[in-house]
C-alpha cells in the first residue's frame, strides 16, 4: 500500500461519494474504484458500506481513517520541517482571534501545534472580526479566526468550529433557574448586544434570531467586547445571546442557559491571504482538521 492509496482513501472517506472524490483527486471514477477495491483485497476487509447512499465507513474503515490521517499528517510535517530547516527560516506566526475563540477553541489547537513546532514563535492578538480582516489586508497578522460574513475573495477561508447560542441572564432573573429558555419568554427585556462596528454579522444574526422567535427587546444596550457584554448582564442591565464558549468568560452573578428554540450554530472561520500562504499556516490548519476528525470519531458510538 502506497501513500497515494491512503490519500485516495481519505478523500473518499471525507466525501462519501466516488464521483466527488474522483473529481477532487483529478482522476476518473473507475480507476479510483479499482484502487479502493485493491486496498480492500490487500487488507482482506471491506472499508466502505456501498449498500447505502451516501456510502459509509465500516468499523474497519473508521480505524484506517484515523491511522491514514496520522500517517499523511506525519509525512506532511516531515516535508515541511525539512524544507524549513533547509531554508534556515525562523518560524513566526501572528494570529488574530476573538475573545470566545481564545477561551475555548484555540488552546488545545495551539498546544498540539506547539508540540510539533516548538521553535515557532506564536503571537496572539485578541481583535474583533472586522479588525482582523483589516489586519489581514495590511499584513499585520498571518491568520485570523473570525465570525462571518467574510466578503474578501482574496482570503482563503475554512470553517473550523461551530457552537450553539445560549442566553446569558442575571442570576436573579425569574428564568435563571430554568433548564432551558424560549426566546419569546424574554419578550420586552433589555438586550445587550455587540455594536455594529465591532461585529456587524454577529449582531444582525442575533437580531434576526430574536425577532424570528418572538423576542422584541424593550431596550438595546450596545457593548464592544464579549467581556463587556457579560459585565452588563452581571450589572442587571439586560440579557444577552452569546456563544456557549462564553462560559469561560462568565463573571459572578451571570448564568448561561440553553435556548429551546431551533437556532443556527455560530460559525468560526480561519482566514488568511491566499497570496501569503505559508508552511506554518498549512500546518496549523492541518492540526485543526485532525482535531475535528478526532472529535467526530470520538463522538461516534459505533465500535471500531
Amino acid at each position: 500500500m502506497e501513500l497515494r492509496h491512503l490519500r485516495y482513501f481519505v478523500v473518499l472517506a471525507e466525501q462519501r461519494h466516488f464521483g466527488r472524490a474522483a473529481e477532487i483527486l483529478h482522476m476518473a471514477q473507475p480507476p479510483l474504484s479499482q484502487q479502493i477495491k485493491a486496498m480492500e483485497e490487500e487488507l482482506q476487509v471491506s472499508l466502505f458500506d456501498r449498500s447505502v447512499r451516501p456510502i459509509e465507513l465500516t468499523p474497519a474503515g473508521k480505524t484506517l481513517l484515523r491511522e491514514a490521517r496520522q500517517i499523511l499528517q506525519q509525512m506532511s510535517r516531515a516535508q515541511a520541517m525539512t524544507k524549513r530547516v533547509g531554508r534556515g527560516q525562523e518560524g513566526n506566526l501572528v494570529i488574530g482571534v476573538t475573545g470566545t475563540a481564545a477561551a475555548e477553541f484555540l488552546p488545545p489547537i495551539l498546544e498540539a501545534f506547539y508540540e510539533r513546532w516548538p521553535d515557532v514563535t506564536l503571537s496572539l492578538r485578541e481583535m474583533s472580526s472586522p479588525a482582523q480582516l483589516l489586519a489581514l489586508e495590511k499584513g499585520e497578522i498571518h491568520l485570523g479566526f473570525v465570525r462571518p460574513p467574510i466578503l474578501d475573495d482574496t482570503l482563503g477561508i475554512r470553517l473550523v468550529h461551530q457552537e450553539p447560542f445560549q442566553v446569558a441572564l442575571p442570576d436573579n432573573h425569574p428564568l435563571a433557574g430554568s433548564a432551558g429558555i424560549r426566546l419569546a419568554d424574554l419578550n420586552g427585556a433589555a438586550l445587550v448586544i455587540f455594536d455594529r462596528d465591532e461585529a456587524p454579522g454577529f449582531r444582525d444574526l442575533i437580531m434576526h434570531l430574536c425577532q424570528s422567535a418572538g423576542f422584541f427587546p424593550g431596550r438595546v444596550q450596545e457593548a464592544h467586547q464579549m467581556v463587556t457584554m457579560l459585565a452588563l448582564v452581571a450589572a442587571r442591565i439586560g440579557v444577552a445571546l452569546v456563544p456557549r464558549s462564553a462560559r469561560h468568560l462568565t463573571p459572578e452573578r451571570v448564568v448561561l442557559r440553553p435556548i429551546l428554540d431551533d437556532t443556527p450554530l455560530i460559525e468560526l472561520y480561519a482566514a488568511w491571504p491566499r497570496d501569503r500562504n505559508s508552511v506554518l499556516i498549512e500546518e496549523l490548519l492541518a492540526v485543526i482538521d485532525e482535531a475535528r476528525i478526532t472529535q467526530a470519531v470520538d463522538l461516534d458510538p459505533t465500535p471500531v
Side-chain angles (χ1 to χ4, degrees):
M1 188 184 306
E2 301 177 13
L3 283 175
R4 62 188 178 91
H5 296 144
L6 293 180
R7 293 192 180 96
Y8 298 162
F9 167 74
V10 170
V11 171
L12 180 57
E14 292 173 346
Q15 297 300 315
R16 297 194 297 165
H17 188 282
F18 277 94
R20 288 197 299 269
E23 183 177 350
I24 291 173
L25 291 166
H26 303 291
M27 62 189 301
Q29 182 174 334
L32 174 61
S33 299
Q34 294 168 8
Q35 294 287 354
I36 298 300
K37 188 64 176 177
M39 289 178 63
E40 292 177 317
E41 292 175 355
E42 179 181 347
L43 295 171
Q44 297 183 342
V45 297
S46 294
L47 299 173
F48 294 95
D49 181 356
R50 297 169 173 81
S51 67
V52 296
R53 292 292 183 273
I55 60 175
E56 295 285 351
L57 285 167
T58 64
K62 292 178 181 179
T63 298
L64 181 59
L65 177 60
R66 287 201 302 268
E67 299 300 320
R69 290 290 302 184
Q70 291 180 8
I71 292 170
L72 294 175
Q73 291 293 344
Q74 289 171 355
M75 177 58 67
S76 176
R77 183 164 60 254
Q79 293 173 340
M81 293 179 69
T82 300
K83 291 178 181 178
R84 176 172 169 257
V85 171
R87 291 193 296 260
Q89 292 181 332
E90 291 294 329
N92 180 52
L93 198 58
V94 184
I95 301 171
V97 62
T98 63
T100 50
E104 180 170 288
F105 161 75
L106 202 53
I109 299 300
L110 295 183
E111 179 183 11
F113 179 86
Y114 185 72
E115 288 177 355
R116 301 178 183 184
W117 294 79
D119 296 327
V120 172
T121 300
L122 292 173
S123 300
L124 297 183
R125 300 184 183 178
E126 185 176 341
M127 312 167 71
S128 67
S129 293
Q132 287 187 62
L133 295 176
L134 183 59
L136 286 168
E137 180 182 342
K138 293 181 177 180
E140 296 173 349
I141 61 175
H142 298 117
L143 180 141
F145 291 104
V146 300
R147 306 289 186 191
I150 307 166
L151 305 178
D152 189 345
D153 58 8
T154 68
L155 296 178
I157 61 172
R158 184 177 301 181
L159 177 64
V160 296
H161 186 62
Q162 293 176 297
E163 60 182 309
F165 277 104
Q166 291 198 333
V167 179
L169 300 163
D171 61 2
N172 67 344
H173 193 281
L175 298 176
S178 303
I181 294 174
R182 293 201 177 276
L183 294 179
D185 294 336
L186 299 171
N187 192 38
L191 176 66
V192 181
I193 194 169
F194 280 113
D195 69 32
R196 186 167 296 281
D197 291 339
E198 288 295 317
F202 200 42
R203 177 193 173 101
D204 289 345
L205 176 60
I206 290 174
M207 294 302 295
H208 174 74
L209 176 59
C210 291
Q211 293 172 7
S212 298
F215 171 24
F216 298 92
R219 185 177 75 254
V220 172
Q221 173 68 50
E222 296 184 339
H224 291 283
Q225 298 293 338
M226 182 63 65
V227 172
T228 310
M229 290 175 58
L230 293 170
L232 291 171
V233 175
R236 326 291 199 200
I237 290 176
V239 302
L241 271 62
V242 299
R244 183 176 58 189
S245 55
R247 59 190 172 181
H248 299 286
L249 307 174
T250 303
E252 293 183 4
R253 309 205 322 173
V254 173
V255 297
L256 298 185
R257 294 292 179 262
I259 298 175
L260 299 179
D261 304 276
D262 185 16
T263 61
L265 294 175
I266 305 169
E267 297 179 332
L268 182 73
Y269 285 82
W272 66 95
R274 296 182 188 275
D275 61 353
R276 294 198 297 271
N277 203 354
S278 71
V279 169
L280 295 180
I281 290 176
E282 290 294 338
E283 182 65 12
L284 180 60
L285 294 173
V287 169
I288 294 171
D289 288 344
E290 185 175 324
R292 296 186 74 196
I293 290 173
T294 300
Q295 182 184 41
V297 171
D298 289 344
L299 294 175
D300 193 322
T302 305
V304 296

